C-alpha cells in the first residue's frame, strides 16, 4: 500500500474512533456504570425543557439566587459575595461535595444547612425557613455553579456513621405499604408503577422543578413526599434522618453530573 | 419576588419577524383546590398579559384558570423601529409584574 493511503486510512481509523467516543460520551453522560440519572427516564420533551436555559422554569430560582448572593443582610451588613466573591468561581464544585461533615460540630450538614449556618454566623442574619423561596433560590444558584460536574461525596472517615445510618434508612421497611426505598428504586427501577416508570431515585438534579408540584422543591420535600406515598409519617424538613439519607443517595449516584435545576415529573 | 424573564434579539433588521419568549413565576391557583386542612385555596391567577412596543400594544393575551403555574409564553412581532418593549402581567389581586427590554433595529 502506498504510504499516503496508509496515512489516510490511519486518519480515518482515528476519526472513526473519536466519533465513537464522542457518541458514547453524549449518551453516557447521564448514565454512569449502571447508575441512571432521572433525566434518562424523562420524555424527550421534558429533556428539551431541562436543557433549554430559557424555558426551564428552575432558572427563575437561579436568577433570584443570583440577586440574593449580592444582597446585604443581617447586622454584619455583608452579603454572600463579601466573603465568597464571584459564585461562578468560588462555588464551582461545591454541590458535588454535599452533604459533608462539619468538623467543628461533628455533624453532617447539607447545602441548605450550610447556607443557613453562613447566614447565622457570618451575616448575623436569621436562618431562612426550610423550603422557603429564598433558601431554595440560594441553594439552586449555588448548585447551578457545579452543573455538569460529577457527584463526589465522602462516605468514609468521619462521614462513615452517617453514611451507615442513611444506608440503613434506605433499606428499612416503613409505612402502611411496608416498603423500603430499595424495593422500588433498587429492585424495580425501570419497571412500571401504573402509568409511571420507576426511576432509580437519584438526587443529582436537586433542587428540582417538579411538574406535579408546579414549583421547585428540595431533596427533603421529595423524601417527605415518598414517605407519604408509602403511607409513612414523613420526617420534618432538615431532619438528621433525611440528611443521612441524602449522603447515602449522593454516594449511590456518584459520578452522575449535577443537573440542578432538573425537570422531573 | 421572582422577576419575570424575557428573551428577544437585541438587534434585528427592519421588517424582520422576531420571536419573544417570556417566563414568569406565579402560582396560577385555580380557586378549585383545597389545602391539607380542607379549606379552599383562593383563586389567584394572572388574567392579562400585554406587550407594548414604544407605547403601542402589539400583543395581548387573556389567561384563564387552566393555565399552568409559572406560565411560559412565546409570540412573534415585527421589528419596526428601535425602542423599548414593555411587558406586563396583571393578576387578580391587581398586582402588575412588569419588565422592559430594548431592541435596536438596523
Amino acid at each position: 500500500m502506498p504510504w499516503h493511503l496508509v496515512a489516510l486510512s490511519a486518519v480515518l481509523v482515528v476519526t472513526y474512533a473519536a466519533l465513537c467516543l464522542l457518541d458514547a460520551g453524549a449518551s453516557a453522560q447521564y448514565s454512569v456504570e449502571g447508575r441512571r440519572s432521572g433525566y434518562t427516564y424523562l420524555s424527550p420533551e421534558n429533556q428539551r425543557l431541562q436543557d433549554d436555559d430559557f424555558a426551564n422554569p428552575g432558572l427563575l430560582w437561579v436568577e433570584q439566587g443570583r440577586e440574593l448572593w449580592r444582597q446585604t443582610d443581617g447586622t454584619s451588613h455583608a452579603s454572600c459575595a463579601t466573603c465568597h466573591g464571584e459564585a461562578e468561581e468560588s462555588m464551582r464544585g461545591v454541590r458535588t461535595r454535599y452533604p459533608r461533615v462539619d468538623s467543628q460540630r461533628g455533624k453532617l450538614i447539607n447545602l441548605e444547612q450550610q447556607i443557613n449556618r453562613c447566614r447565622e454566623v457570618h451575616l448575623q442574619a436569621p436562618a431562612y425557613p426550610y423550603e422557603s423561596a429564598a433558601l431554595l433560590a440560594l441553594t439552586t444558584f449555588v448548585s447551578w455553579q457545579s452543573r455538569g460536574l460529577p457527584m463526589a461525596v465522602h462516605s468514609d472517615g468521619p462521614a462513615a456513621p452517617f453514611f451507615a445510618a442513611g444506608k440503613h434508612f434506605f433499606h428499612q421497611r416503613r409505612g402502611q405499604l411496608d416498603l423500603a426505598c430499595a424495593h422500588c428504586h433498587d429492585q424495580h427501577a425501570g419497571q412500571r408503577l401504573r402509568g409511571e416508570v420507576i426511576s432509580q431515585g437519584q438526587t443529582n438534579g436537586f433542587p428540582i422543578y417538579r411538574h406535579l408540584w408546579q414549583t421547585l422543591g428540595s431533596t427533603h420535600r421529595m423524601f417527605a413526599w415518598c414517605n407519604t406515598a408509602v403511607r409513612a409519617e414523613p420526617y420534618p424538613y432538615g431532619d438528621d434522618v433525611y440528611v443521612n439519607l441524602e449522603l447515602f443517595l449522593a454516594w449511590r449516584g456518584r459520578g452522575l453530573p449535577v443537573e440542578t435545576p432538573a425537570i422531573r415529573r | 419576588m421572582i422577576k419575570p424573564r424575557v428573551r428577544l434579539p437585541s438587534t434585528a433588521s427592519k421588517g424582520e419577524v422576531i420571536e419573544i419568549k417570556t417566563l414568569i413565576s406565579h402560582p396560577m391557583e385555580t380557586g378549585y383546590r383545597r389545602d391539607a386542612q380542607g379549606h379552599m385555596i383562593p383563586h389567584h391567577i394572572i388574567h392579562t398579559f400585554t406587550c407594548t412596543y414604544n407605547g403601542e400594544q402589539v400583543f395581548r393575551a387573556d389567561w384563564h384558570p387552566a393555565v399552568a403555574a409559572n406560565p411560559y409564553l412565546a409570540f412573534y412581532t415585527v421589528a419596526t423601529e428601535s425602542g423599548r418593549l414593555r411587558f406586563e402581567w396583571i393578576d387578580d389581586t391587581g398586582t402588575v409584574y412588569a419588565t422592559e427590554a430594548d431592541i435596536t433595529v438596523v
Side-chain angles (χ1 to χ4, degrees):
Chain A
M1 197 183 276
W3 67 270
H4 60 273
L5 271 184
V6 174
L8 183 64
S9 47
V11 166
L12 281 176
V13 165
V14 168
T15 316
Y16 179 70
L19 279 174
C20 286
L21 272 177
L22 258 181
D23 191 40
S27 57
Q29 194 191 353
Y30 294 102
S31 174
V32 179
E33 295 164 6
R35 301 188 283 277
R36 281 177 62 183
S37 159
Y39 184 90
T40 62
Y41 296 93
L42 289 179
S43 65
E45 292 80 9
N46 278 324
Q47 290 184 345
R48 277 203 298 278
L49 183 62
Q50 178 174 319
D51 294 337
D52 185 335
D53 283 351
F54 185 82
N56 182 343
L59 270 293
L60 288 163
W61 280 263
V62 174
E63 293 305 321
Q64 198 203 2
R66 197 187 304 280
E67 283 182 17
L68 289 173
W69 182 261
R70 305 212 155 275
Q71 187 177 303
T72 56
D73 205 349
T75 50
S76 68
H77 301 293
S79 70
C80 307
T82 312
C83 295
H84 296 293
E86 294 297 326
E88 285 74 13
E89 289 166 25
S90 60
M91 291 297 120
R92 187 160 170 79
V94 166
R95 166 72 167 80
T96 64
R97 299 192 289 270
Y98 276 84
R100 66 168 184 90
V101 175
D102 177 8
S103 49
Q104 283 177 351
R105 308 198 187 190
K107 207 170 163 300
L108 189 73
I109 56 168
N110 65 13
L111 193 53
E112 283 89 343
Q113 291 165 336
Q114 177 64 60
I115 289 170
N116 269 336
R117 182 152 303 167
C118 263
R119 281 180 62 78
E120 285 175 324
V121 176
H122 301 294
L123 298 190
Q124 287 151 28
Y128 289 129
Y130 216 96
E131 216 59 22
S132 61
L135 186 58
L136 281 173
L138 261 181
T139 311
T140 310
F141 174 67
V142 170
S143 304
W144 165 258
Q145 311 305 333
S146 307
R147 217 181 191 203
L149 298 177
M151 289 298 295
V153 286
H154 287 290
S155 58
D156 48 0
F162 304 106
F163 178 78
K167 188 175 182 177
H168 177 72
F169 185 92
F170 188 81
H171 292 96
Q172 188 181 37
R173 289 179 181 270
R174 67 192 66 256
Q176 277 185 325
L177 299 189
D178 206 26
L179 287 170
C181 311
H183 286 128
C184 287
H185 295 294
D186 265 356
Q187 296 174 16
H188 294 290
Q191 295 176 18
R192 282 188 175 272
L193 181 66
R194 296 190 173 172
E196 299 281 357
V197 178
I198 305 169
S199 79
Q200 288 183 353
Q202 301 290 2
T203 53
N204 55 312
F206 279 83
I208 56 166
Y209 187 90
R210 194 165 183 223
H211 287 311
L212 182 69
W213 297 333
Q214 300 222 339
T215 189
L216 198 87
S218 68
T219 27
H220 290 201
R221 181 171 178 179
M222 191 72 216
F223 295 162
W225 186 91
C226 275
N227 280 173
T228 312
V230 297
R231 300 181 199 163
E233 190 71 39
Y235 289 83
Y237 296 149
D239 197 278
D240 289 347
V241 170
Y242 279 169
V243 183
N244 294 342
L245 179 62
E246 215 181 319
L247 175 66
F248 173 70
L249 291 181
W251 170 85
R252 187 168 161 270
R254 62 200 178 282
L256 289 177
V258 174
E259 287 174 38
T260 313
I263 301 288
R264 296 292 182 262
R265 292 185 315 258
Chain B
M1 191 186 73
I2 295 175
K3 279 206 304 192
R5 306 185 79 209
V6 169
R7 182 178 286 177
L8 69 159
S10 54
T11 58
S13 52
K14 196 170 171 65
E16 188 184 339
V17 176
I18 54 167
E19 186 185 28
I20 301 174
K21 294 176 175 180
T22 69
L23 180 67
I24 187 167
S25 169
H26 198 279
M28 295 298 280
E29 196 55 63
T30 60
Y32 298 120
R33 298 200 306 161
R34 289 172 189 275
D35 64 15
Q37 280 74 44
H39 303 125
M40 294 302 285
I41 306 173
H43 183 267
H44 183 209
I45 66 165
I46 292 172
H47 55 71
T48 308
F49 167 82
T50 58
C51 169
T52 55
Y53 191 163
N54 283 339
E56 186 198 350
Q57 190 176 98
V58 291
F59 188 87
R60 177 196 161 95
D62 293 334
W63 287 348
H64 296 278
V67 173
N70 309 315
Y72 168 84
L73 177 72
F75 59 95
Y76 295 88
T77 191
V78 178
T80 50
E81 56 188 1
S82 296
R84 181 160 291 183
L85 287 103
R86 184 176 169 81
F87 307 89
E88 283 185 2
W89 294 257
I90 308 166
D91 78 7
D92 45 19
T93 61
T95 311
V96 179
Y97 310 87
T99 188
E100 291 179 334
D102 291 329
I103 186 166
T104 309
V105 175
V106 287

